[in-house]
Every structure is written in structure tokens, then in C-alpha cells.
Amino acid sequence: TKTMSAQSTFSQTPACHSDVLPLDAGCVFATSAELKRTIVLLETVVKTNAKEKIPRILRTTSKLRKTLSVAQLQQAVAQLLPDQNESKRALLALLDQISAKVAVAAKTEDVEMTDATPEVDASATTSVAVVLPVVDLIEVEVYLFLYVLAALMKYKLTAEALDTVDKVLVRCQQFNRRTLDPFQAKVFSYYSSIHEQFGHDLSAIRNTLLAAHRTSCLRYDEIGQATLVNLLLRNYLQENLYEQGYKFVSKTTFPETVSNNQFVRYLYYVGKIQAVQLEYTESYTKLMQSIRKAPANTAFGFRRTVYKLAIIVQLLMGEVPERNVFNQDELRKALAPYLQLTNAVRVGNLEEFNMVLTQHAAVFKADHTYTLILRLRHNVIKTGLRKISTSYSRILFTDICAKLALEDAQNAEFVCAKAIRDGVIDALIDHENGWLQLKETVNVYTTNDPQTAFQKRITFCLDVHNEAVKAMRYPPDAYKKDLESAEERLEREKQEEEFAKEIEDEMDEGL
């Protein structure tokens, strides 16, 4: 039988459909023990205000979400939260609905769910059960809600997800605690995702996100600022509000050191906005920085999306992407239409460009790159004119029209005039005779182009070095090891005095 493990109940990624072994008591115990360690660590963090350990808790949450079952989370909620906590009843009620949804999904898809029909022996489960302590902390409460929100999204419980995320957000905003900030940032991520997926009214949540960003700035909540800046930029881009997004970026500061994943997203969003605003060089720099900083072994979908945009921006800059970009195993199939487009632009064949654009229009529109690709038409014409300028000293506009697949000779004359004005070619237009008189090609090494290219490479290397230095992590208080204490200083001074006295005595004896 095809089985779908309940280990993916709280994961937002689709459950894998493969033959898996029955869930044994050891696996249940290991998951419960890991959850207990995480809760104990969270309690310690809150009591000692050790905020630097919270990222470790969030990393563990991602792993637990893939292995935790509904029954285990129900047991955890029942043990962790006190009976007088109102959220306890809400959590248990939501988990009951999720459990029922899991059972229905198991029957309709002919899939065996571990939650619905557990294969763990009851006696074994009770013998290895992990007892969790009662913890009445808002951080623990919100932490448990994160699992529930992920499951509500996965099983498309629309009404429950919208209602729950609004209530959790209101509950978080009742507190002003720095240890709650990372969890509140996660809640805002779910808030935006749920409203985007189920509510379909992005403008309605924009004011809430702007108010939350203002509050996080006033509280010096850096993780909140980073998360909310990205959510707002995504909100603007979803509705094609590029001008508003551009103004928002110019008036806000992103805390780069708080989270690498958030910074990578921010670079992509800013790069996309700058590409639309015709700032191709800055956009390409941001996109390539985003690709370099993105995780190497995961986030293939994100890297694929960034590469698609980066290829278009590089073509708009008049450069041709390297062939090895298209030969990467995980990107080869997705970038196939973009490889055809690159070849058409590189050759300068307008007819081939139009054919590729028509053939893959649906793909480009789905990738939200279609409007940028339409701008490439001028680049194709420029490339064709450059090739003509190196091959001919004089050419008729009718011949240019045939080579570039333009409408008529008059249109070819206008295109050539614009290319001369933009500095693409160095030529003169003879309107009376109807031809283009090209000037002699100048040796490129007598111009400033090599110096400009060399300076560009130097700047890139220096930027990479500076980013590497910034990314280095130093252990806290490491410098204190080199500093001597007051007692050690007194001891050293005493030894120096004794040594000096001994030298004086030896000198006196010598005299």
C-alpha cells in the first residue's frame, strides 16, 4: 500500500508518497524528547534573556515539523499549558479539526495516515512517553501555535487559518518582550502567507504590516524589521506597485546581520524593483549577491527564480550570460526557454527573438519576466547593428531592414539614428542616398573601456572581501582572554619590582 507518513503533518511541504516503515516507539520517543528539550531550552532563554539561542530553537522547529504527529502535539498542549489558559482550549479544538482532516485525506486518497491508524503498540507508547512540564509563558504558547498554523495552511482549512492567525497576532501584540520578537516575526510571516493564499486581499493587510514595522523600529526589534520589510516588499510586488516599493526601500534601512535568509530575500526584491526602474547595473549586483548568499544545497526554487531574472537583467545590460549558468543540473530544464532567448539576443536575430517570445509567452508571463523581456527587442536590434558595423563600411537601409527583419527602410533609418545617438555605433546617415556610412573602427585599447572593465573587476573583488569580513563570526568576549585581571597585573608588577631590585643588588655587589 502507498503510505503517507504523518511525520509531515505540520510541514508545509507536500507529504512524500513512498513506501515507508511503520512508525516505531523509538521514533515517537525521540520526537517527544526533542520537543521537550526545545521547550526546556525556550524556558531557559526566557528566564535568562539569552536571545542568541532562539535561532537554534527555530532551526529545531523546522525539523520537528516534519516528524511531529497530531497526537503528539495534542499531548504536548495538554501537558504544557495550564488549564486556565484560554489558548489551550483553542489549540486542542484546532488540533481535533486537523486530525479529522487528516483522517478524511487518508480515506479519500487511499493513503494510510499514522495519525488515523497508528501502528505504534499502545503499551510501548505508554512505557516510553515523555512527560512535559507545565510552562505558562506566552513564548511557549505562540511556539505551539506555529505548528498549528502550518498544518492549517497545509490542509487548506481556510476559515480556521484566517481566524486563528488574526487572533494569534492580536495575542502577540499584547506583550512587549524581546524574547517574543522572533516568534512574532514568524507569526507575521504566516499572517501574510495565509491572507495571500486564502484571503486574496493584499491591500487590506498592508496597513497592519506598516504599523507593525513602525513598532518594530521603535522597539529596536531587528528580526521583526527584516521580516516585515520583506513582507511589505512582497506585498507591493504582488500587486505590481513598483513605484511604492522603490520609495519604501529608499526610506527604510534593512538590518543585514540579523538573518541571512531574510537578507537574501531582500536582495532579490530590491533587485527586481531596480530592474523595473531601469537601474540594471545595481539590480544585477543585488541579484548576483542574492544567489551567492542563498543556501547551496536547498532553496532550489528560489535560486531558479533569481537566475531567471538575473539572466534578463544581464541581457538588458548588453552582456551575454555564461553558458555554465544554463548547464546546472537543477536549472537546465527551467532555464531552457531563457537559453533560446539568450541565443536570439546574442545573434541579433529579431525574427528568432519574436518566435521564441511567442512560443514561450506563457512561461515568461508565469515567471513575471514578460514585460522585461519585451524591452530586449531594442537590445536585439543593437546587437545586429554592431555586427553590421564591423562587417560593412556602407550599407543601404533596405539591406538593414532585411537583415534585422524590420518593417520598412524608414523604420531602419529611425533605428540607426537612435543607435548612433546612444553610442552603439559610430556612423553617419545619408538620407538622400538612403544608406548608412560607418566610420572606421577605433582600436578599443586606445579608449577608456579596458580601464572601466578592470575597475569593475577590482570593485567586485573588494566587495566580496568586505562581505566575507562582515560575515565572519567572533566568539563573544574572546578579546577578554588577552586582557589580564587586576590581580595578575599586581602580581606582574610585583615580580618586575623584585627583578629590578635583584639587578640593582647585583650591580652594587659588582661595584
Side-chain angles (χ1 to χ4, degrees):
T1 347
K2 289 284 182 184
T3 57
M4 180 172 68
S5 172
Q7 296 176 351
S8 59
T9 302
F10 297 97
S11 175
Q12 293 183 57
T13 54
C16 59
H17 294 264
S18 58
D19 293 327
V20 295
L21 295 172
L23 198 63
D24 61 349
C27 181
V28 174
F29 176 76
T31 304
S32 300
E34 184 65 29
L35 180 61
K36 181 176 181 179
R37 281 195 295 271
T38 306
I39 296 296
V40 170
L41 177 60
L42 178 54
E43 188 178 6
T44 306
V45 165
V46 174
K47 289 180 179 178
T48 60
N49 199 27
K51 294 179 289 185
E52 65 277 0
K53 294 181 180 178
I54 294 180
R56 189 197 309 175
I57 295 172
L58 295 175
R59 284 194 299 269
T60 309
T61 305
S62 301
K63 298 176 184 177
L64 276 173
R65 211 168 51 214
K66 299 173 184 176
T67 56
L68 200 63
S69 66
V70 176
Q72 285 175 295
L73 193 61
Q74 284 176 323
Q75 185 181 6
V77 171
Q79 292 180 1
L80 282 170
L81 299 180
D83 293 335
Q84 64 271 20
N85 192 318
E86 296 180 2
S87 298
K88 181 176 183 177
R89 292 188 292 275
L91 279 165
L92 291 173
L94 288 168
L95 287 169
D96 288 338
Q97 294 183 40
I98 293 168
S99 182
K101 187 76 174 180
V102 168
V104 171
K107 291 178 182 177
T108 53
E109 297 177 14
D110 192 23
V111 173
E112 183 178 288
M113 296 296 298
T114 310
D115 295 310
T117 55
E119 298 185 19
V120 184
D121 182 48
S123 59
T125 308
T126 53
S127 62
V128 297
V130 176
V131 179
L132 299 172
V134 177
V135 183
D136 191 11
L137 291 173
I138 181 61
E139 288 82 3
V140 174
E141 183 182 322
V142 175
Y143 178 76
L144 294 172
F145 266 115
L146 294 179
Y147 288 107
V148 174
L149 288 171
L152 291 173
M153 285 186 67
K154 179 182 176 182
Y155 291 104
K156 294 180 172 55
L157 295 167
T158 306
E160 291 81 359
L162 290 167
D163 181 59
T164 303
V165 75
D166 289 342
K167 289 181 178 177
V168 175
L169 198 57
V170 171
R171 177 77 169 145
C172 287
Q173 291 173 340
Q174 293 174 355
F175 296 85
N176 182 11
R177 296 160 67 119
R178 301 288 70 79
T179 50
L180 183 61
D181 290 341
F183 302 101
Q184 187 172 350
K186 280 282 185 184
V187 172
F188 272 112
S189 298
Y190 281 116
Y191 175 77
S192 180
S193 299
I194 288 172
H195 278 274
E196 180 182 329
Q197 186 174 341
F198 302 132
H200 308 296
D201 190 6
L202 297 176
S203 57
I205 66 170
R206 197 174 302 140
N207 289 333
T208 304
L209 296 177
L210 285 168
H213 177 259
R214 183 171 62 250
T215 303
S216 63
C217 291
L218 294 173
R219 293 177 176 176
Y220 297 97
D221 171 17
E222 290 190 338
I223 184 62
Q225 291 177 46
T227 304
L228 288 161
V229 165
N230 282 335
L231 293 177
L232 282 163
L233 289 177
R234 178 179 176 83
N235 193 297
Y236 287 129
L237 294 181
Q238 286 287 334
E239 296 197 337
N240 297 323
L241 300 173
Y242 290 96
E243 188 65 32
Q244 290 188 30
Y246 186 76
K247 290 179 180 178
F248 179 75
V249 169
S250 65
K251 295 182 182 298
T252 54
T253 305
F254 189 88
E256 300 178 9
T257 57
V258 68
S259 170
N260 182 67
N261 291 342
Q262 294 292 347
F263 187 44
V264 166
R265 291 190 188 100
Y266 176 76
L267 290 171
Y268 166 66
Y269 291 142
V270 174
K272 189 171 184 179
I273 291 170
Q274 289 177 332
V276 174
Q277 297 290 330
L278 306 177
E279 298 176 3
Y280 298 131
T281 305
E282 294 82 355
S283 172
Y284 183 70
T285 303
K286 294 282 194 305
L287 293 172
M288 294 311 296
Q289 192 178 359
S290 175
I291 290 171
R292 288 198 304 271
K293 286 180 171 290
N297 300 322
T298 56
F300 294 122
F302 176 79
R303 291 174 66 241
R304 188 163 55 237
T305 303
V306 181
Y307 264 116
K308 289 176 181 178
L309 184 59
I311 289 167
I312 302 302
V313 172
Q314 192 172 3
L315 290 172
L316 286 167
M317 290 168 61
E319 301 175 0
V320 178
E322 296 288 340
R323 185 58 187 256
N324 56 13
V325 171
F326 303 97
N327 290 337
Q328 300 177 62
D329 293 336
E330 66 273 9
L331 301 175
R332 187 179 287 112
K333 184 178 179 181
L335 296 183
Y338 293 87
L339 177 59
Q340 296 179 30
L341 191 72
T342 302
N343 288 331
V345 175
R346 180 177 59 83
V347 174
N349 190 330
L350 189 61
E351 192 174 354
E352 184 183 348
F353 172 79
N354 290 331
M355 186 179 69
V356 172
L357 187 61
T358 306
Q359 184 181 353
H360 299 290
V363 176
F364 297 143
K365 287 177 181 177
D367 295 337
H368 302 289
T369 55
Y370 186 76
T371 53
L372 289 175
I373 291 172
L374 290 177
R375 299 180 187 177
L376 283 173
R377 185 176 184 275
H378 301 291
N379 292 63
V380 177
I381 295 171
K382 287 178 184 178
T383 305
L385 283 174
R386 282 198 197 97
K387 291 200 169 189
I388 290 172
S389 68
T390 57
S391 305
Y392 295 87
S393 60
R394 181 194 300 167
I395 185 171
L396 294 168
F397 290 124
T398 52
D399 293 337
I400 293 175
C401 178
K403 287 181 178 293
L404 298 182
L406 298 174
E407 288 79 6
D408 51 32
Q410 187 180 12
N411 191 15
E413 185 177 350
F414 293 155
V415 167
C416 292
K418 188 176 187 306
I420 293 170
R421 181 178 177 275
D422 294 341
V424 176
I425 57 174
D426 191 9
L428 294 172
I429 292 175
D430 192 336
H431 182 71
E432 293 179 359
N433 296 317
W435 65 52
L436 183 71
Q437 183 71 43
L438 293 138
K439 296 182 180 178
E440 187 179 352
T441 306
V442 182
N443 184 5
V444 71
Y445 290 102
T446 62
T447 65
N448 291 330
D449 290 349
Q451 179 185 356
T452 306
F454 191 53
Q455 180 61 33
K456 187 178 178 182
R457 294 179 185 179
I458 292 173
T459 306
F460 173 77
C461 293
L462 289 174
D463 288 343
V464 171
H465 173 266
N466 293 336
E467 288 171 15
V469 172
K470 288 180 183 178
M472 292 176 68
R473 294 184 178 181
Y474 301 95
D477 300 335
Y479 68 94
K480 291 185 179 178
K481 295 179 182 178
D482 300 329
L483 300 178
E484 56 183 359
S485 63
E487 295 179 358
E488 291 174 345
R489 187 174 67 254
L490 291 173
E491 183 67 26
R492 179 176 55 79
E493 291 175 354
K494 186 177 179 182
Q495 290 177 356
E496 289 175 355
E497 288 177 3
E498 292 177 356
F499 186 62
K501 192 174 182 182
E502 288 176 3
I503 293 175
E504 289 179 3
D505 293 343
E506 289 176 1
M507 291 176 65
D508 291 342
E509 288 176 3
L511 290 172

